[in-house]
Amino acid sequence: MSLISHLSKALTEALFILGYPADKIKLSPPKNTEFGDISSNIALILSKAVGKPPLKIAEDIKKNLKIDSSLAGEITVTAPGFINFRISPDYYYGVLKNILTDSDFGRGKQGAGENANVEFVSANPTGPLTVGHGRQAVLGDAVANILEWNGYSVTREYYYNDAGRQMRILGQSVEARYYQESGRESHLPEGGYQGDYIRKIAKEILADNGPGLKSGDSLFLQKAEKTIFTDIKAT
C-alpha cells in the first residue's frame, strides 16, 4: 500500500470514529513546505456540514488518527484547519532499500505487445558530431530505455540522410577547397561548410587524384560523405 493510501485509510477511520462523512478526502503537498510534506483540507470541507470550526474538526481528527510513526513522524494542525503530515525518514529509507533490492522496481506493463520507434541523433553526414548531438544521444537512449522498462518493443533508429541541399553544399564546399589547395581561385558556396575538416578532405582528394578533377565531379561528395560518416561512427 502506498503512503497516500495509508494516510487516506487512517483519515477515513478517524472520520468514521467521529461520525463524519469520509468521501471527500484529498491529500496534496502544502503550499508552505514548513508545515509538512502532505496536507489535507478535509476539516475545511466538513465545517459547514458538521457545524464546527475547521480548526476544532482538524484537532478532533488528529486525536483519532492511528498512523505508524515509521510513515508519518509528525502530524500538525495549522490555520484555518489543515492537517499536515511530515513523512518519516524511516519511510524514505524503506523505499530506497526496496529500490536497491528489487531489480524490477518501477517496471511497468502498459506497453506490452506494443512497438515503439525512437529516432535520435540522426546527424546529417555533413560534419563532425557536436556536443548537442551527444546530448540528443543521451536523451534518446534514455527515452528508449524508459519505453522498454514499460513493456514496449523498442527500435532505436539513427536516420541516415545523405540527400538534399545540405549534401549538395557539402560537395561544393569540398570542391572549392580542392581548387584552392590546387592553387586556383575558388569561393565557398553560400552557406558552405568552413570547418578545417573540409580542407583536410580536399587535401586527401588532391593527394590521391591530382589537380585534374572537373567541377561537379561526384568524387567530392562521395569522399566527403564517407570520411565524415566514418568519423561519426567512430565517435
PDB file of all heavy atoms in Angstrom, residues 221-235:
ATOM      1  N   LEU A 221      31.721  14.801 -53.261  1.00  0.00           N
ATOM      2  CA  LEU A 221      30.701  14.475 -52.273  1.00  0.00           C
ATOM      3  C   LEU A 221      30.905  13.068 -51.720  1.00  0.00           C
ATOM      4  O   LEU A 221      30.762  12.842 -50.512  1.00  0.00           O
ATOM      5  CB  LEU A 221      29.305  14.604 -52.885  1.00  0.00           C
ATOM      6  CG  LEU A 221      28.126  14.237 -51.960  1.00  0.00           C
ATOM      7  CD1 LEU A 221      28.174  15.051 -50.677  1.00  0.00           C
ATOM      8  CD2 LEU A 221      26.798  14.444 -52.674  1.00  0.00           C
ATOM      9  N   GLN A 222      31.231  12.123 -52.572  1.00  0.00           N
ATOM     10  CA  GLN A 222      31.408  10.744 -52.124  1.00  0.00           C
ATOM     11  C   GLN A 222      32.505  10.620 -51.073  1.00  0.00           C
ATOM     12  O   GLN A 222      32.342   9.969 -50.036  1.00  0.00           O
ATOM     13  CB  GLN A 222      31.714   9.839 -53.320  1.00  0.00           C
ATOM     14  CG  GLN A 222      30.554   9.657 -54.281  1.00  0.00           C
ATOM     15  CD  GLN A 222      30.953   8.923 -55.542  1.00  0.00           C
ATOM     16  OE1 GLN A 222      32.105   8.506 -55.712  1.00  0.00           O
ATOM     17  NE2 GLN A 222      30.000   8.761 -56.455  1.00  0.00           N
ATOM     18  N   LYS A 223      33.634  11.258 -51.353  1.00  0.00           N
ATOM     19  CA  LYS A 223      34.758  11.209 -50.431  1.00  0.00           C
ATOM     20  C   LYS A 223      34.391  11.899 -49.106  1.00  0.00           C
ATOM     21  O   LYS A 223      34.706  11.394 -48.017  1.00  0.00           O
ATOM     22  CB  LYS A 223      35.974  11.892 -51.059  1.00  0.00           C
ATOM     23  CG  LYS A 223      37.171  12.076 -50.136  1.00  0.00           C
ATOM     24  CD  LYS A 223      37.826  10.763 -49.762  1.00  0.00           C
ATOM     25  CE  LYS A 223      39.105  11.000 -48.962  1.00  0.00           C
ATOM     26  NZ  LYS A 223      39.746   9.731 -48.536  1.00  0.00           N
ATOM     27  N   ALA A 224      33.729  13.052 -49.211  1.00  0.00           N
ATOM     28  CA  ALA A 224      33.351  13.798 -48.005  1.00  0.00           C
ATOM     29  C   ALA A 224      32.384  12.989 -47.146  1.00  0.00           C
ATOM     30  O   ALA A 224      32.561  12.866 -45.930  1.00  0.00           O
ATOM     31  CB  ALA A 224      32.720  15.130 -48.393  1.00  0.00           C
ATOM     32  N   GLU A 225      31.377  12.427 -47.784  1.00  0.00           N
ATOM     33  CA  GLU A 225      30.370  11.659 -47.042  1.00  0.00           C
ATOM     34  C   GLU A 225      30.991  10.456 -46.346  1.00  0.00           C
ATOM     35  O   GLU A 225      30.740  10.203 -45.158  1.00  0.00           O
ATOM     36  CB  GLU A 225      29.269  11.200 -48.000  1.00  0.00           C
ATOM     37  CG  GLU A 225      28.172  10.392 -47.323  1.00  0.00           C
ATOM     38  CD  GLU A 225      27.126   9.910 -48.317  1.00  0.00           C
ATOM     39  OE1 GLU A 225      27.061  10.448 -49.434  1.00  0.00           O
ATOM     40  OE2 GLU A 225      26.368   8.984 -47.959  1.00  0.00           O
ATOM     41  N   LYS A 226      31.824   9.714 -47.069  1.00  0.00           N
ATOM     42  CA  LYS A 226      32.458   8.531 -46.492  1.00  0.00           C
ATOM     43  C   LYS A 226      33.360   8.883 -45.324  1.00  0.00           C
ATOM     44  O   LYS A 226      33.331   8.251 -44.269  1.00  0.00           O
ATOM     45  CB  LYS A 226      33.243   7.787 -47.568  1.00  0.00           C
ATOM     46  CG  LYS A 226      33.920   6.513 -47.055  1.00  0.00           C
ATOM     47  CD  LYS A 226      34.677   5.818 -48.173  1.00  0.00           C
ATOM     48  CE  LYS A 226      35.356   4.557 -47.661  1.00  0.00           C
ATOM     49  NZ  LYS A 226      36.113   3.863 -48.746  1.00  0.00           N
ATOM     50  N   THR A 227      34.165   9.930 -45.499  1.00  0.00           N
ATOM     51  CA  THR A 227      35.107  10.345 -44.452  1.00  0.00           C
ATOM     52  C   THR A 227      34.376  10.816 -43.211  1.00  0.00           C
ATOM     53  O   THR A 227      34.717  10.436 -42.080  1.00  0.00           O
ATOM     54  CB  THR A 227      36.011  11.476 -44.971  1.00  0.00           C
ATOM     55  OG1 THR A 227      36.745  11.010 -46.110  1.00  0.00           O
ATOM     56  CG2 THR A 227      36.989  11.931 -43.903  1.00  0.00           C
ATOM     57  N   ILE A 228      33.359  11.648 -43.409  1.00  0.00           N
ATOM     58  CA  ILE A 228      32.631  12.226 -42.268  1.00  0.00           C
ATOM     59  C   ILE A 228      31.852  11.160 -41.521  1.00  0.00           C
ATOM     60  O   ILE A 228      31.855  11.131 -40.281  1.00  0.00           O
ATOM     61  CB  ILE A 228      31.697  13.356 -42.756  1.00  0.00           C
ATOM     62  CG1 ILE A 228      32.549  14.547 -43.239  1.00  0.00           C
ATOM     63  CG2 ILE A 228      30.750  13.792 -41.634  1.00  0.00           C
ATOM     64  CD1 ILE A 228      31.742  15.620 -43.945  1.00  0.00           C
ATOM     65  N   PHE A 229      31.192  10.254 -42.249  1.00  0.00           N
ATOM     66  CA  PHE A 229      30.396   9.265 -41.534  1.00  0.00           C
ATOM     67  C   PHE A 229      31.265   8.245 -40.819  1.00  0.00           C
ATOM     68  O   PHE A 229      30.882   7.731 -39.769  1.00  0.00           O
ATOM     69  CB  PHE A 229      29.416   8.556 -42.473  1.00  0.00           C
ATOM     70  CG  PHE A 229      28.319   7.853 -41.733  1.00  0.00           C
ATOM     71  CD1 PHE A 229      27.408   8.581 -40.968  1.00  0.00           C
ATOM     72  CD2 PHE A 229      28.200   6.474 -41.764  1.00  0.00           C
ATOM     73  CE1 PHE A 229      26.415   7.949 -40.253  1.00  0.00           C
ATOM     74  CE2 PHE A 229      27.201   5.833 -41.073  1.00  0.00           C
ATOM     75  CZ  PHE A 229      26.300   6.564 -40.300  1.00  0.00           C
ATOM     76  N   THR A 230      32.447   7.976 -41.366  1.00  0.00           N
ATOM     77  CA  THR A 230      33.396   7.125 -40.655  1.00  0.00           C
ATOM     78  C   THR A 230      33.769   7.758 -39.328  1.00  0.00           C
ATOM     79  O   THR A 230      33.860   7.088 -38.279  1.00  0.00           O
ATOM     80  CB  THR A 230      34.669   6.892 -41.502  1.00  0.00           C
ATOM     81  OG1 THR A 230      34.301   6.200 -42.702  1.00  0.00           O
ATOM     82  CG2 THR A 230      35.699   6.080 -40.737  1.00  0.00           C
ATOM     83  N   ASP A 231      33.976   9.072 -39.346  1.00  0.00           N
ATOM     84  CA  ASP A 231      34.298   9.821 -38.122  1.00  0.00           C
ATOM     85  C   ASP A 231      33.113   9.797 -37.140  1.00  0.00           C
ATOM     86  O   ASP A 231      33.293   9.636 -35.934  1.00  0.00           O
ATOM     87  CB  ASP A 231      34.668  11.251 -38.484  1.00  0.00           C
ATOM     88  CG  ASP A 231      34.988  12.085 -37.244  1.00  0.00           C
ATOM     89  OD1 ASP A 231      36.005  11.809 -36.607  1.00  0.00           O
ATOM     90  OD2 ASP A 231      34.203  12.997 -36.936  1.00  0.00           O
ATOM     91  N   ILE A 232      31.901   9.950 -37.685  1.00  0.00           N
ATOM     92  CA  ILE A 232      30.710   9.937 -36.840  1.00  0.00           C
ATOM     93  C   ILE A 232      30.558   8.585 -36.150  1.00  0.00           C
ATOM     94  O   ILE A 232      30.294   8.506 -34.944  1.00  0.00           O
ATOM     95  CB  ILE A 232      29.453  10.263 -37.681  1.00  0.00           C
ATOM     96  CG1 ILE A 232      29.432  11.756 -38.030  1.00  0.00           C
ATOM     97  CG2 ILE A 232      28.173   9.879 -36.926  1.00  0.00           C
ATOM     98  CD1 ILE A 232      28.309  12.158 -38.965  1.00  0.00           C
ATOM     99  N   LYS A 233      30.732   7.495 -36.904  1.00  0.00           N
ATOM    100  CA  LYS A 233      30.583   6.159 -36.322  1.00  0.00           C
ATOM    101  C   LYS A 233      31.649   5.914 -35.251  1.00  0.00           C
ATOM    102  O   LYS A 233      31.365   5.298 -34.216  1.00  0.00           O
ATOM    103  CB  LYS A 233      30.664   5.094 -37.415  1.00  0.00           C
ATOM    104  CG  LYS A 233      29.418   5.038 -38.299  1.00  0.00           C
ATOM    105  CD  LYS A 233      29.361   3.791 -39.135  1.00  0.00           C
ATOM    106  CE  LYS A 233      30.418   3.787 -40.227  1.00  0.00           C
ATOM    107  NZ  LYS A 233      30.296   2.594 -41.100  1.00  0.00           N
ATOM    108  N   ALA A 234      32.847   6.396 -35.506  1.00  0.00           N
ATOM    109  CA  ALA A 234      33.916   6.225 -34.506  1.00  0.00           C
ATOM    110  C   ALA A 234      33.581   6.984 -33.228  1.00  0.00           C
ATOM    111  O   ALA A 234      33.817   6.505 -32.113  1.00  0.00           O
ATOM    112  CB  ALA A 234      35.243   6.727 -35.092  1.00  0.00           C
ATOM    113  N   THR A 235      33.015   8.182 -33.394  1.00  0.00           N
ATOM    114  CA  THR A 235      32.621   8.984 -32.224  1.00  0.00           C
ATOM    115  C   THR A 235      31.525   8.290 -31.440  1.00  0.00           C
ATOM    116  O   THR A 235      31.575   8.210 -30.214  1.00  0.00           O
ATOM    117  CB  THR A 235      32.137  10.378 -32.650  1.00  0.00           C
ATOM    118  OG1 THR A 235      33.191  11.018 -33.380  1.00  0.00           O
ATOM    119  CG2 THR A 235      31.761  11.237 -31.448  1.00  0.00           C
TER     120      THR A 235
END
